[in-house]
Amino acid sequence: MTSHAICIQTRMAVWDLSVSVEELGPEAPPLKISVTSDLHIGGVILKTVEKSQIKQDWSDHALWWEQKQQWLLKPSWTLDKCGIHADARLCLTPQHKPLQLVMPSSIVLRMRVCFSSPVFRTIMGICKLLNIRRPEELSLLWPVEEKKKKKDKDVGEEVYDITCAPLPSSTIPKLANGMPAFFAETPETEVVYKILAVSQPAPAPETIAKLYRTTNIMEKAHINSRWLDSSRSLLQQGVKENDKLILRFKYYTFHDIIPQADVVRLTQLYEQSRWAILLEEIECTEEEMMVFAALQYHIGKVSLTEQSVASCPAMEDLDSALQCLEVKMEGESSADDMLYDVRHCIISLPLFRPKRLTLKGYKQYWFTFKDTTISYYKSKEESSKEPIQQMNLKGCEVAPDVSVAGQKFCIRLLIPGPEGMNEVYLRCEHEQQYSRWMAACRLASKGKTLADSSFSSEVQSIQSFLAMQKTTPRNNTAQTDESINTHSLVSPRYQKKYKPKQLTPRILEAYQNVAQLSLTDAIQKFLQIWQALPDFGLSYIVVRFKGCRKDEVLGIANNRLIRIDLSVGDVVKTWRYNTMRQWNVNWDIKQVAIEFDGNVNIAFSCVTANCKIVHEYIGGYIFMSTRCREQSDTLNEELFHKLTGGHEAL
């Protein structure tokens, strides 16, 4: 025999490959398929299907390689190219499987999702089916394990089954009212869509009491260790058929919200923010809680009567255009006055620098505001000379310290310095002055000057929120609404502090300031106030900074990283993404290293989460910042994985 013939015979050697077929049942032995090394994956599937003798549609099936924990999704690749030998155990299984999905509104859907694509693409499919735009803002996480009591065993939550829906990857036609065609097919599925698109009634206090609540920053950090990896598939991460996962807004940068097109997105976003308030995931003042409660009460009432079905898209577009024009014209008329007030006036404001072991209060100084810098002087006459100090607010933390009832209008500034964060309080005389200076400080913290077009809208936003906190009792009958369930509208802290008869008049007083809002306006107002809270959008991870002996907390926001002292909760340092030069992960020692402008370098290892989660958060937020209206309907999946995937990037 010639050497050429021996080579051919060797290459064409036939051997047995074990392939399990899910449809044959878990107890069925694997099928033995005779193959050669140059047989392609598509051929293996064809031989397996023929040997199984099951007649059905196999188009959604693919091979899963158990030992390597990977999908074989390229049908033209040969077994040799894939590195598959006789000891490989393969499984022919559907790519789309049922999953229990807990929505932000806490309702549970059972639906078919893709187990073979990266999670990022799987979420795109889920959102396409549910008519949620901007899927890149959401992600999946494992639920917290709950210790079940014996008496709760028989109590099952309601699960809405929509596994009969078309595969999420297919194009879903829309009806005239914006509902995906699938949901309009039966009364049962239409009910499911309405539950997604309309805010649900306020939960019973007992329901709120049973839900998992984070009581400290460590528990909040542990929640963030449960996010799934966006670059890998569900099956690669141990998710099994019919497992329960939570769908949540992960990235707090809500791009291009259009009420007419974003009915489900807005409702689910409102539900997530509402639960964040009720479960005390985010801190708010007592006055803010009363406004949140009033808005929830109003949204609950209006949801019963106001439908989310669009009447006439053309008229709605015209109405919204006129409304925008009206707001713009109103803003322009007073913008110059507001700018002059902050820019050119040398005003006297009390300033307070809190220090430990000191009882000194506020001290009066004269302030000027230029670009992103506040300067202050001992007297008005000295304002033409060198200031006592200049404070550049770029990258600082700005938080309100306000009580409308107590006529207290303070601005809390945490300003980055060489030794850490410097805490400064400014006390304004009245709400007009406060709203203008607060708006200026917020813009300056983002590196924007007073000339920015958003200044007047920022002022109006602050003023409208202050107006909501004013109590305007009109008549006694409005103050004794028996239908209001106060303990379903406030967090447990205020349930313990006040009785329902004490809460009712306060909530109803706040309600009178929002009672005229439409359903969409009320939801947007709730979200607007939520986004203005000092701790909004912060995701916590416990880390150990290089060279330090104790654990600290890293707060990750949409525009900055924050170093927080774990023992007292104080902000130590802030770094903004726009000063970041590069970041990388040493996957061997699991350490994140980041370089900022000015030769500032930090490095830390993660204690409560995989460093991939931090890497994905930072890369994800940078990806979100690249979006613009022009490319609003296209999603650069490749760029997302490049920024978030690390060494596993696709």
Side-chain angles (χ1 to χ4, degrees):
M1 188 181 289
T2 65
S3 60
H4 180 65
I6 292 169
C7 287
I8 292 174
Q9 192 175 8
T10 307
R11 186 167 59 85
M12 299 298 288
V14 177
W15 45 278
D16 284 346
L17 180 64
S18 293
V19 183
S20 303
V21 179
E22 203 165 281
E23 276 71 9
L24 293 174
E27 303 300 322
L31 301 178
K32 295 289 183 184
I33 310 297
S34 295
V35 298
T36 55
S37 295
D38 63 348
L39 181 66
H40 49 74
I41 297 297
V44 175
I45 293 174
L46 193 61
K47 283 194 168 200
T48 306
V49 167
E50 285 172 354
K51 193 156 187 177
S52 73
Q53 296 183 333
I54 299 173
K55 295 192 184 301
Q56 66 168 49
D57 181 3
W58 295 91
S59 59
D60 187 47
H61 284 60
L63 289 171
W64 168 254
W65 190 356
E66 197 177 311
Q67 295 107 311
K68 294 276 187 179
Q69 290 286 292
Q70 71 181 50
W71 287 91
L72 304 173
L73 298 174
K74 296 186 175 172
S76 61
W77 280 29
T78 63
L79 294 175
D80 189 40
K81 189 172 182 179
C82 292
I84 293 172
H85 304 293
D87 61 344
R89 295 192 303 274
L90 304 183
C91 179
L92 186 62
T93 181
Q95 294 180 64
H96 290 81
K97 300 169 185 280
L99 186 75
Q100 290 190 68
L101 204 62
V102 185
M103 299 296 292
S105 56
S106 293
I107 73 156
V108 184
L109 300 178
R110 185 171 179 268
M111 60 188 293
R112 280 191 302 162
V113 306
C114 188
F115 274 66
S116 61
S117 296
V119 164
F120 185 77
R121 202 178 304 156
T122 298
I123 291 166
M124 288 168 67
I126 292 169
C127 291
K128 188 179 279 188
L129 176 66
L130 302 180
N131 200 21
I132 299 174
R133 297 192 320 129
R134 306 285 160 244
E136 68 274 17
E137 295 167 358
L138 296 102
S139 195
L140 295 168
L141 70 160
W142 290 102
V144 176
E145 291 100 3
E146 294 181 56
K147 293 177 182 175
K148 288 193 174 180
K149 297 175 184 175
K150 286 183 181 177
K151 62 181 180 181
D152 290 343
K153 277 185 180 177
D154 299 325
V155 182
E157 62 189 340
E158 188 167 4
V159 178
Y160 297 91
D161 196 320
I162 55 169
T163 49
C164 54
L167 293 183
S169 57
S170 59
T171 305
I172 300 164
K174 301 278 182 70
L175 293 185
N177 62 4
M179 189 188 299
F182 158 72
F183 286 103
E185 286 174 3
T186 66
E188 292 77 20
T189 50
E190 196 168 329
V191 165
V192 175
Y193 189 78
K194 284 180 179 172
I195 288 171
L196 291 171
V198 180
S199 173
Q200 296 307 290
E206 309 84 67
T207 306
I208 299 173
K210 283 180 185 175
L211 291 171
Y212 176 78
R213 243 170 60 235
T214 53
T215 54
N216 56 51
I217 204 164
M218 279 291 285
E219 288 180 5
K220 290 176 184 176
H222 277 288
I223 292 289
N224 287 313
S225 68
R226 297 176 173 273
W227 288 108
L228 267 65
D229 189 331
S230 295
S231 303
R232 299 165 70 216
S233 69
L234 292 177
L235 206 55
Q236 283 177 305
Q237 299 181 69
V239 181
K240 301 287 190 292
E241 186 174 327
N242 283 317
D243 274 356
K244 184 184 283 186
L245 292 178
I246 298 173
L247 182 71
R248 285 290 179 275
F249 289 89
K250 178 181 182 181
Y251 298 103
Y252 293 86
T253 50
F254 313 120
H255 178 62
D256 187 30
I257 289 181
I258 304 168
Q260 290 87 353
D262 288 320
V263 176
V264 177
R265 182 181 174 210
L266 261 178
T267 301
Q268 295 303 313
L269 191 51
Y270 161 68
E271 291 287 350
Q272 181 164 326
S273 62
R274 172 167 77 155
W275 284 112
I277 299 294
L278 290 178
L279 298 177
E280 297 173 358
E281 290 171 13
I282 186 167
E283 295 287 322
C284 67
T285 65
E286 194 168 302
E287 284 180 315
E288 286 164 342
M289 180 57 80
M290 296 309 142
V291 175
F292 281 130
L295 282 165
Q296 286 179 78
Y297 176 59
H298 178 58
I299 290 165
K301 285 181 76 171
V302 180
S303 293
L304 297 173
T305 55
E306 194 174 312
Q307 295 301 312
S308 60
V309 177
S311 52
C312 173
M315 283 305 293
E316 284 181 348
D317 288 345
L318 180 63
D319 288 344
S320 61
L322 288 169
Q323 199 175 359
C324 287
L325 183 65
E326 192 179 320
V327 169
K328 191 177 178 185
M329 290 174 73
E330 283 176 9
E332 284 172 355
S333 63
S334 57
D336 291 343
D337 297 336
M338 292 189 289
L339 275 170
Y340 188 85
D341 179 67
V342 181
R343 240 190 214 158
H344 299 286
C345 290
I346 301 168
I347 65 165
S348 173
L349 290 177
L351 177 140
F352 172 55
R353 290 179 174 279
K355 290 179 182 175
R356 288 175 186 171
L357 307 174
T358 179
L359 297 173
K360 286 187 178 179
Y362 285 88
K363 195 172 180 182
Q364 205 81 11
Y365 291 102
W366 290 84
F367 286 81
T368 60
F369 207 124
K370 186 178 181 184
D371 295 330
T372 60
T373 302
I374 291 180
S375 305
Y376 64 94
Y377 310 84
K378 274 189 178 178
S379 66
K380 192 174 184 179
E381 292 71 33
E382 291 184 19
S383 61
S384 57
K385 301 175 185 176
E386 280 292 307
I388 296 171
Q389 189 185 3
Q390 288 185 318
M391 298 181 287
N392 191 334
L393 303 189
K394 191 175 178 181
C396 79
E397 304 289 311
V398 184
D401 183 15
V402 173
S403 169
V404 176
Q407 288 296 292
K408 174 188 173 188
F409 302 102
C410 295
I411 301 168
R412 179 176 177 251
L413 303 172
L414 281 169
I415 303 166
E419 303 302 317
M421 303 297 281
N422 298 313
E423 190 176 18
V424 175
Y425 283 80
L426 299 177
R427 192 169 69 198
C428 299
E429 291 179 19
H430 46 74
E431 63 182 76
Q432 286 79 13
Q433 189 184 74
Y434 164 80
S435 56
R436 293 168 189 183
W437 276 72
M438 185 66 172
C441 289
R442 279 185 182 169
L443 287 181
S445 73
K446 298 171 187 173
K448 297 178 181 178
T449 67
L450 294 168
D452 192 87
S453 58
S454 61
F455 175 72
S456 56
S457 61
E458 188 75 49
V459 172
Q460 287 169 358
S461 168
I462 294 164
Q463 286 177 339
S464 68
F465 176 53
L466 292 175
M468 281 187 197
Q469 296 188 49
K470 293 175 185 173
T471 53
T472 52
R474 291 177 188 173
N475 54 59
N476 293 329
T477 55
Q479 305 304 306
T480 55
D481 187 337
E482 296 301 325
S483 67
I484 187 167
N485 189 348
T486 55
H487 280 179
S488 293
L489 302 172
V490 298
S491 63
R493 181 191 306 173
Y494 298 106
Q495 292 177 24
K496 290 173 186 173
K497 190 174 180 181
Y498 297 109
K499 293 177 181 176
K501 64 181 181 183
Q502 295 171 301
L503 287 170
T504 300
R506 292 188 64 185
I507 293 172
L508 288 171
E509 281 170 7
Y511 165 67
Q512 289 173 18
N513 293 319
V514 300
Q516 303 308 312
L517 294 175
S518 68
L519 176 60
T520 303
D521 287 345
I523 287 174
Q524 288 185 303
K525 185 58 70 177
F526 191 100
L527 295 174
Q528 187 183 19
I529 300 167
W530 173 53
Q531 290 177 72
L533 294 176
D535 295 335
F536 164 76
L538 281 180
S539 303
Y540 301 106
I541 308 282
V542 177
V543 299
R544 176 76 61 92
F545 279 90
K546 190 177 180 180
C548 294
R549 293 185 177 181
K550 62 175 185 176
D551 292 344
E552 294 176 77
V553 174
L554 185 74
I556 306 172
N558 67 339
N559 57 359
R560 66 201 188 282
L561 297 174
I562 304 165
R563 186 173 181 173
I564 301 167
D565 187 311
L566 184 55
S567 55
V568 290
D570 288 349
V571 173
V572 178
K573 191 80 178 170
T574 296
W575 303 278
R576 298 190 81 84
Y577 297 149
N578 58 12
T579 64
M580 189 188 293
R581 286 180 175 272
Q582 64 173 2
W583 85 100
N584 58 68
V585 178
N586 184 326
W587 300 103
D588 296 326
I589 60 171
K590 293 184 168 56
Q591 188 179 75
V592 182
I594 309 174
E595 182 188 339
F596 296 93
D597 289 346
N599 294 319
V600 175
N601 294 284
I602 63 169
F604 54 84
S605 55
C606 301
V607 178
T608 55
N610 190 308
C611 58
K612 171 68 167 67
I613 289 175
V614 174
H615 179 60
E616 193 169 306
Y617 255 122
I618 295 170
Y621 273 128
I622 290 170
F623 173 79
M624 301 297 155
S625 70
T626 65
R627 299 177 300 177
C628 61
R629 282 182 181 272
E630 288 71 31
Q631 53 174 40
S632 58
D633 291 326
T634 57
L635 205 52
N636 190 339
E637 194 179 343
E638 188 182 345
L639 178 62
F640 180 86
H641 287 302
K642 191 176 178 181
L643 288 168
T644 63
H647 66 327
E648 295 175 343
L650 299 183

